[in-house]
Amino acid sequence: MNDFPPTGRCPVRDVLSRLGDKWSMLVLIALHANGVMRFSEIHRSLGDISHRMLTVTLRTLEADGMVARTVYAEVPPRVEYRLTVRGESLLPHVFGLVEWARANMEGIFADRRKN
């Protein structure tokens, strides 16, 4: 039997709470699909995320070593984001979940309608 100790000591709880929000996976997928991106490009690719929420999401992903942020000393300053090796290593698992969701979506929706 697996134990899931309280947050802070449980890697499953900790990682899922950080990556299970509304935007983190979408940001990671956008960076994977497009490579190096500027803030405005990420914002445009996601469409309905606020500037504030994108900033928070990028900071969290950067703090966890999933995304790297590079600031160029130019006028105006240029900031670019890219996936790190750790961020790239997560994506095969994300894509597996995406494929599972696509394969099971109709059945899940049918079961929800029954309840």
Side-chain angles (χ1 to χ4, degrees), residues 18 21 23-24 27 39 49-64 67 81:
R18 295 291 284 238
D21 63 25
W23 300 108
S24 291
V27 169
F39 184 93
I49 189 171
S50 70
H51 283 88
R52 170 80 176 123
M53 185 52 64
L54 180 54
T55 298
V56 169
T57 301
L58 286 167
R59 284 181 184 161
T60 299
L61 291 171
E62 184 182 8
D64 286 349
V67 170
Y81 298 89

Side-chain angles (χ1 to χ4, degrees), residues 31 34-45 54 58 70 72 74 76-82:
L31 287 170
N34 297 294
V36 176
M37 296 177 78
R38 295 178 73 168
F39 184 93
S40 60
E41 294 170 327
I42 300 169
H43 188 261
R44 266 194 308 275
S45 75
L54 180 54
L58 286 167
T70 305
Y72 296 92
E74 300 174 352
R78 178 171 50 114
V79 179
E80 294 179 338
Y81 298 89
R82 66 171 175 74

Side-chain angles (χ1 to χ4, degrees), residues 71-92:
V71 180
Y72 296 92
E74 300 174 352
V75 177
R78 178 171 50 114
V79 179
E80 294 179 338
Y81 298 89
R82 66 171 175 74
L83 288 179
T84 62
V85 172
R86 182 177 297 145
E88 284 287 352
S89 73
L90 175 64
L91 288 172

